[in-house]
Amino acid sequence: MRLSNHWEKGIKAIYLNSMLRNMAGAISGIFLPIYVYQWGGLGAVAVMVLLERGLIAVNSLVLGRLVVKIGYKWSVLFSNLLLALNYFLIANFGLSYVLIIVVSVVSSLMTPLYWLPRLSIMTVDGDRDEMGVEVGLLQLVEKASSILGPLLGGVILSIFGFRYLFVLVALLTVFSGVPILFIKNHPLKDGVSIKGFWGWLTDKTNNHLVVSFWGQGWANMVDAYFWPIYFFLAVSDFTIFGGLSSLTFALSTIMVFVAGKLFDVLRRKRGRQDENEYIVSTAVVSLVQMIRPLVKGVVGLFGVDAVFSLVLPFWSIDYDSYL
C-alpha cells in the first residue's frame, strides 16, 4: 500500500494509536449516553449532543489552519490529551449542565484535532486505487481491538461503577499517545478553511455529497447516543448489554476488509459501479435504521443490531473513502 510505503515505520505508530484510542472508546462509548440519561433524561442527552456537534462544526473550520501548521504528530497528541481530560472531568466531577457544557467545548476542540489530520493522511498519502483497502485496514485494526471493549466496560460498571470506568479509559487514552511521540512530525497539505468549505458547499456538483454527509451526521448522532440507551433499557444489565455489543462489533469486523476490497474492485473500473454500490448500501443501512425502533425484546434488538453491523461496512468504507 502506498500509505505504508510513504510512512514507513510511522504507520505502525498510527495503527497502534488508533487501536488503543478506539479500545478506550469501545470500553466507554456506549455507556456515556446511558450515564447522562440516568442523571438528566433524554433532555440532558439532547443538550450534550446538539451542543457538542454544533461546536465541532464551527471549530473544524476554525482549527483547520492550525492543524496544517502544527502537523500530524502534535495535532493528534493534543487531541489525545483533550480526550483524556474529558474522561477525567467526567470521572471526578458530578454531572451538571455546567460540566456538560465544559465537556462539549473540550470535545469540540479534540475532535477536529484528531479527525482532520487523520483524513488528510488518507487523502494525500493514500493510494486512490487502494483507498478501500487502506481505509478498511485502518477500520479493521480499530474494530478488532475494540471487540471486547463493550463487554469489559459492562463488567467494570457492574462491579466498580462509572467513576472507575472513566478513569481507566482516561489512562488508556493517555497511553495511546505514546507511540505518536516516536514518529516524525508529518506535514499536512490539505487543511480546512471557511472559504474552502463554502466553495465546496455551494458547488452544485457536490450536492449529493452535501446531502449524504448531512444525513449521516444525524444518523451518527442517533447511533452513538440514543440507540445505546434504547437497547440498554430493554436489557437492563450492563454486562449483558456490553456482551451483546461486543458480538455485534465482532460481526462488523468480519465484513470490513471484504467491503474494502469490493470498493477498490468497483472503483478501478472508472465508471459508476462504486457509486451505485454506495447508493445500494446507503438504502439498505437506512432501511435497517428505520426498522430498528419497531423491534421489541432483547433477542429482536440484538438480531437487527447484528444485521446492521454486517451491512454497515459496505457503506462506511465507501463514505470514508469519498470523504
Side-chain angles (χ1 to χ4, degrees), residues 21 32 48 51-57 59-60 63 75-90 93 97-115 173 225:
R21 183 178 172 122
L32 176 58
M48 179 181 70
L51 180 60
E52 177 188 280
R53 293 305 175 99
L55 289 172
I56 288 174
N59 285 333
S60 294
L63 296 175
S75 185
V76 171
L77 285 174
F78 287 146
S79 175
N80 268 40
L81 290 177
L82 290 173
L83 181 58
L85 173 63
N86 256 359
Y87 286 131
F88 275 121
L89 288 173
I90 296 171
F93 295 92
Y97 279 107
V98 172
L99 180 63
I100 287 176
I101 292 172
V102 172
V103 168
S104 297
V105 171
V106 174
S107 181
S108 73
L109 298 172
M110 172 272 297
T111 302
L113 283 175
Y114 176 75
W115 280 102
T173 301
Y225 294 94

Side-chain angles (χ1 to χ4, degrees), residues 216-230:
Q216 188 54 33
W218 286 98
N220 283 343
M221 284 194 289
V222 174
D223 289 339
Y225 294 94
F226 296 101
W227 174 249
I229 296 172
Y230 183 76

Side-chain angles (χ1 to χ4, degrees), residues 151-310:
L151 175 60
L152 179 59
V155 171
I156 293 172
L157 275 178
S158 298
I159 300 175
F160 300 106
F162 279 103
R163 183 174 187 274
Y164 287 93
L165 175 74
F166 292 127
V167 169
L168 171 65
V169 294
L171 294 174
L172 187 57
T173 301
V174 172
F175 184 68
S176 73
V178 173
I180 301 298
L181 291 171
F182 298 95
I183 68 173
K184 294 180 180 179
N185 190 19
H186 187 70
L188 302 173
K189 302 174 183 178
D190 59 337
V192 177
S193 66
I194 296 176
K195 181 180 179 181
F197 172 74
W198 182 252
W200 176 84
L201 186 65
T202 55
D203 186 344
K204 292 184 179 180
T205 61
N206 293 326
N207 284 348
H208 61 300
L209 294 176
V210 173
V211 173
S212 176
F213 295 162
W214 176 265
Q216 188 54 33
W218 286 98
N220 283 343
M221 284 194 289
V222 174
D223 289 339
Y225 294 94
F226 296 101
W227 174 249
I229 296 172
Y230 183 76
F231 201 157
F232 174 74
L233 290 177
V235 178
S236 301
D237 183 280
F238 286 119
T239 302
I240 295 176
F241 175 55
L244 293 176
S245 298
S246 286
L247 286 175
T248 60
F249 270 49
L251 292 174
S252 182
T253 301
I254 294 172
M255 302 307 297
V256 162
F257 206 72
V258 176
K261 290 291 290 184
L262 175 62
F263 177 78
D264 286 339
V265 169
L266 295 178
R267 197 169 195 181
R268 287 193 192 104
K269 296 181 179 181
R270 302 299 189 221
R272 289 186 53 85
Q273 289 90 340
D274 59 304
E275 295 181 15
N276 291 335
E277 188 263 335
Y278 179 60
I279 292 171
V280 172
S281 63
T282 299
V284 174
V285 168
S286 300
L287 179 62
V288 176
Q289 287 177 316
M290 288 188 288
I291 292 174
R292 285 191 307 182
L294 305 177
V295 178
K296 305 295 181 181
V298 176
V299 175
L301 289 171
F302 171 71
V304 73
D305 204 37
V307 172
F308 181 73
S309 297
L310 287 171

Side-chain angles (χ1 to χ4, degrees), residues 3 7 11 14-15 17-19 21-22 67 71-73 75-76 79 111-126 131 134-143 186 188 190 316-317 320 323:
L3 185 63
W7 279 73
I11 194 66
I14 294 173
Y15 284 156
N17 167 257
S18 182
M19 179 184 72
R21 183 178 172 122
N22 277 273
V67 168
Y72 179 88
K73 176 179 181 177
S75 185
V76 171
S79 175
T111 302
L113 283 175
Y114 176 75
W115 280 102
L116 290 181
R118 167 168 161 162
L119 292 173
S120 176
I121 65 169
M122 296 303 298
T123 301
V124 176
D125 299 326
M131 186 62 69
E134 294 188 341
V135 171
L137 183 57
L138 192 54
Q139 284 196 15
L140 185 65
V141 170
E142 294 171 348
K143 289 180 179 294
H186 187 70
L188 302 173
D190 59 337
S316 64
I317 296 294
D320 284 351
L323 192 62

